[in-house]
């Protein structure tokens, strides 16, 4: 039986390669998916839409923008989307809270953030007693704020208040009005604060060692993955090809990035592109080390330390391994 299954899987892979080589299309399957940000780290999700790569791999995708990973988790658990772009921290918190989710891969495995502060803030000590703005508790910006503050030798919540103020626009508004004096943001955002007295105090790039963090992870309920492995595999194929496009077609990618982010500031587009193109994974396997850190923090926050949850319990990237073994990724990058 096992030999037969292996043979069938091999024959399916060969057929798939032949169809792609001859430009034939799949029967289209409808799928509703979500992404959590218009920033550059999420660009492969909307490049795949813009370039009709989902359709190329047989998926009639409805791509929905749902701000922040935590609200994407809610959409996944409710069943309103089947696959969402979730960060490792949000996955870990959701699973510790009882959600049955799994990351099927990860396209960025570190935290590309910088801490933008008011121009008057020159040292870490000057942040004490003040507030940093994030999107939502448990989101990537929340994790980033805490990591960056600790990098400055400060204790989050104790030395510096962390306020939930909303997405990038809301954070910028809170910053402009003085409600917060700092906010974590993906690379390049400093170029969008024109007219505001601001500077970058610290970035994760300043760390001596890259901070391991599963950041851009296609995530789905385990039950959906179990019964729809081929669908999820084809989604990964589209995202892998979109990632290759971003890494190798700079000016075209910047135009698509500008279109979806609705930003035309060249310094911002260039800075974000240069940083993220280097961080996108060619083979999108999720970092176990980074997920273990997030699981431990989620368990500690929920006062469930010692519960025995491991990274392998919420990562299933075997489809990525299959695609690599089948030569799909090598063909895309040839």
């Amino acid at each position: 039986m096992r030999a037969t299954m292996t043979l069938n899987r091999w024959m399916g892979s060969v057929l798939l390669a032949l169809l792609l080589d001859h430009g034939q299309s799949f029967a289209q399957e409808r799928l509703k998916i979500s992404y959590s940000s218009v920033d550059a780290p999420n660009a492969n999700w909307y490049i795949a839409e813009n370039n009709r790569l989902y359709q190329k791999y047989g998926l009639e995708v409805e791509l929905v923008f749902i701000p922040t990973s935590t609200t994407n988790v809610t959409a996944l658990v409710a069943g309103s989307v089947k696959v969402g772009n979730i960060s490792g921290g949000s996955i870990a918190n959701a699973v510790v809270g009882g959600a049955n989710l799994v990351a099927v891969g990860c396209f960025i495995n570190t935290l590309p953030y910088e801490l933008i502060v008011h121009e008057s803030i020159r040292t870490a000590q000057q942040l004490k007693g003040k507030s940093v703005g994030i999107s939502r508790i448990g989101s990537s910006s929340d994790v980033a704020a805490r990591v960056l503050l600790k990098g400055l030798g400060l204790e989050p919540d104790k030395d510096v208040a962390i306020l939930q103020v909303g997405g990038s626009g809301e954070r910028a508004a809170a910053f402009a009005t003085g409600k917060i004096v700092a906010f974590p943001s993906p690379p390049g955002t400093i170029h969008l604060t024109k007219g505001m007295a601001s500077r970058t105090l610290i970035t994760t790039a300043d760390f001596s060692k890259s901070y391991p963090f599963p950041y851009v992870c296609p995530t789905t309920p385990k039950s959906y993955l179990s019964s729809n492995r081929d669908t999820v595999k084809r989604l990964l194929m589209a995202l892998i090809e979109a990632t290759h496009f971003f890494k190798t077609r700079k000016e075209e990618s910047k135009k698509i990035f500008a279109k979806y982010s609705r930003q035309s500031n060249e310094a911002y587009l260039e800075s974000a592109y240069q940083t993220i193109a280097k961080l996108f994974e060619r083979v999108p396997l999720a970092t176990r080390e980074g997920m273990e850190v997030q699981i431990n923090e989620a368990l500690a926050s929920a006062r469930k330390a010692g519960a025995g949850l491991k990274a392998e319990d919420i990562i299933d990237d075997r489809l990525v391994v299959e695609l690599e073994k089948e030569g799909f990724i090598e063909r895309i990058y040839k």
Side-chain angles (χ1 to χ4, degrees):
M1 176 65 74
R2 182 174 298 173
T4 300
M5 290 175 66
T6 301
L7 177 61
N8 288 340
R9 184 179 296 133
W10 177 82
M11 290 178 66
S13 300
V14 171
L15 178 59
L16 175 60
L18 289 172
L19 287 172
L20 292 177
D21 287 343
H22 288 82
Q24 297 183 33
S25 60
F26 298 95
Q28 298 295 293
E29 178 181 348
R30 293 185 178 278
L31 180 66
K32 189 173 182 179
I33 64 176
S34 63
Y35 67 110
S36 57
S37 170
V38 296
D39 293 319
N42 299 270
N44 57 341
W45 290 75
Y46 50 76
I47 284 176
E49 177 184 57
N50 188 83
N51 293 359
R52 296 185 61 80
L53 295 177
Y54 296 125
Q55 288 89 337
K56 175 178 178 179
Y57 294 104
L59 301 173
E60 192 61 46
V61 160
E62 180 183 353
L63 180 63
V64 183
F65 172 54
I66 303 177
T68 81
S69 283
T70 49
T71 47
N72 274 262
V73 164
T74 301
L76 277 176
V77 172
S80 56
V81 297
K82 299 303 182 184
V83 182
N85 176 23
I86 316 292
S87 70
S90 294
I91 298 169
N93 280 305
V95 172
V96 168
N100 201 19
L101 301 178
V102 62
V104 297
C106 210
F107 286 91
I108 294 181
N109 276 298
T110 190
L111 202 58
Y113 269 81
E114 52 195 23
L115 188 65
I116 297 175
V117 301
H118 191 274
E119 181 64 33
S120 62
I121 304 296
R122 293 284 173 171
T123 67
Q125 291 302 308
Q126 289 177 313
L127 275 176
K128 279 193 171 183
K130 298 181 174 63
S131 300
V132 171
I134 63 167
S135 59
R136 291 171 66 95
I137 299 298
S139 67
S140 297
S141 62
D142 183 22
V143 174
R146 295 174 189 278
V147 167
L148 290 166
L149 288 173
K150 288 178 181 177
L152 290 168
L154 298 170
E155 188 64 34
D157 297 317
K158 180 180 178 182
D159 294 330
V160 182
I162 295 180
L163 301 184
Q164 180 175 282
V165 296
S168 298
E170 289 83 0
R171 273 176 276 170
F175 184 80
T177 58
K179 181 179 180 181
I180 57 175
V181 299
F183 62 95
S185 188
T189 303
I190 188 70
H191 298 293
L192 301 180
T193 60
K194 189 175 181 180
M196 302 181 195
S198 61
R199 60 192 301 270
T200 300
L201 187 61
I202 187 175
T203 81
T204 51
D206 296 329
F207 293 1
S208 58
K209 180 184 176 183
S210 177
Y211 184 76
F213 182 76
Y215 183 41
V216 179
C217 306
T219 303
T220 190
K222 287 184 178 180
S223 57
Y224 184 80
L225 176 62
S226 177
S227 56
N228 296 274
R229 291 186 67 81
D230 181 63
T231 300
V232 176
K233 186 174 182 177
R234 285 183 279 137
L235 174 63
L236 286 169
M237 292 165 77
L239 291 172
I240 288 169
E241 184 165 343
T243 302
H244 170 262
F245 184 94
F246 187 91
K247 290 170 74 71
T248 60
R249 307 276 283 273
K250 175 182 174 181
E251 294 306 322
E252 292 163 277
S253 294
K254 282 168 59 179
K255 287 180 181 178
I256 299 170
F257 174 31
K259 170 185 171 182
Y260 280 80
S261 65
R262 298 181 180 179
Q263 297 292 344
S264 58
N265 183 298
E266 175 59 26
Y268 165 67
L269 298 173
E270 179 68 18
S271 176
Y273 177 86
Q274 291 292 352
T275 299
I276 300 306
K278 297 174 185 176
L279 297 180
F280 264 135
E281 303 280 6
R282 174 176 168 139
V283 181
L285 297 168
T287 167
R288 270 62 178 171
E289 178 188 3
M291 192 65 87
E292 290 284 359
V293 170
Q294 296 310 307
I295 288 172
N296 290 336
E297 291 196 3
L299 289 171
S301 296
R303 298 181 181 179
K304 295 182 180 179
L309 187 66
K310 300 296 182 184
E312 294 299 333
D313 296 323
I314 58 178
I315 296 174
D316 184 351
D317 48 15
R318 288 176 292 175
L319 289 174
V320 174
V321 175
E322 281 184 24
L323 289 169
E324 184 179 26
K325 287 182 177 178
E326 292 164 3
F328 171 79
I329 298 175
E330 183 178 352
R331 288 195 298 275
I332 290 295
Y333 278 85
K334 69 180 179 181

